[in-house]
Amino acid sequence: MPHPPASILTVNVSVVDGQVIVNPETLPVTDGPHTLEFRLQTLGYSFPTLGAIVIEGGHKSQFPQAPVWVNAQTVTLFDRNANRQPRSYSYRVAVLDALGRRRCTDPTITNEGRPVRLASDAHA
């Protein structure tokens, strides 16, 4: 079943002195579903076709689809962000250098949840 349209949140990925940097390192996701778009900014590096983004522990309820490799500089991930309470998820970002060596970092996604709507809110 297709997911409702989701807003796009851009996550910039770069490599500085051999270290993978993700900005923001802790990604706050608010107000419902989003497509997270990871964009690699550093020339000479690429996202691997498999394993570029891995949610630690899976968490299929929030991340029901595998990441999508769009091209060597872009990977997307659908985030349902359906929690009622904020919750953080560790994930791994992997890139390959020009020689095919994998470099990784482990940032965090914080799903801040959906606001609980009361029946009285519908009439406000």
Side-chain angles (χ1 to χ4, degrees), residues 8-40:
I8 295 174
L9 291 177
T10 299
V11 180
N12 291 312
V13 179
S14 57
V15 181
V16 177
D17 296 328
Q19 300 296 313
V20 179
I21 308 295
V22 175
N23 186 16
E25 186 172 345
T26 299
L27 176 65
V29 180
T30 61
D31 298 327
H34 287 74
T35 296
L36 310 180
E37 185 175 78
F38 296 85
R39 293 187 180 185
L40 185 54

Side-chain angles (χ1 to χ4, degrees), residues 1-4 65 78:
M1 170 181 257
H3 293 284
Q65 301 168 344
F78 179 72

Side-chain angles (χ1 to χ4, degrees), residues 51-56 90-94 102 104-107:
I53 308 296
V54 176
I55 303 296
E56 302 293 332
S90 295
Y91 69 105
R92 174 159 291 182
V93 175
R102 185 176 289 258
C104 302
T105 191
D106 298 313

Side-chain angles (χ1 to χ4, degrees), residues 44-123:
Y45 290 84
S46 61
F47 284 120
T49 56
L50 294 173
I53 308 296
V54 176
I55 303 296
E56 302 293 332
H59 300 286
K60 291 287 187 186
S61 66
Q62 296 302 304
F63 307 96
Q65 301 168 344
V68 175
W69 186 89
V70 176
N71 59 48
Q73 275 66 50
T74 307
V75 174
T76 63
L77 176 66
F78 179 72
D79 182 351
R80 284 186 61 230
N81 187 32
N83 297 334
R84 290 190 179 259
Q85 299 293 323
R87 181 160 180 203
S88 293
Y89 301 93
S90 295
Y91 69 105
R92 174 159 291 182
V93 175
V95 301
L96 302 174
D97 67 15
L99 298 176
R101 294 178 295 208
R102 185 176 289 258
R103 299 181 188 274
C104 302
T105 191
D106 298 313
T108 303
I109 296 169
T110 299
N111 280 358
E112 295 184 0
R114 296 176 184 229
V116 176
R117 305 230 188 265
L118 303 175
S120 60
D121 291 344
H123 303 291

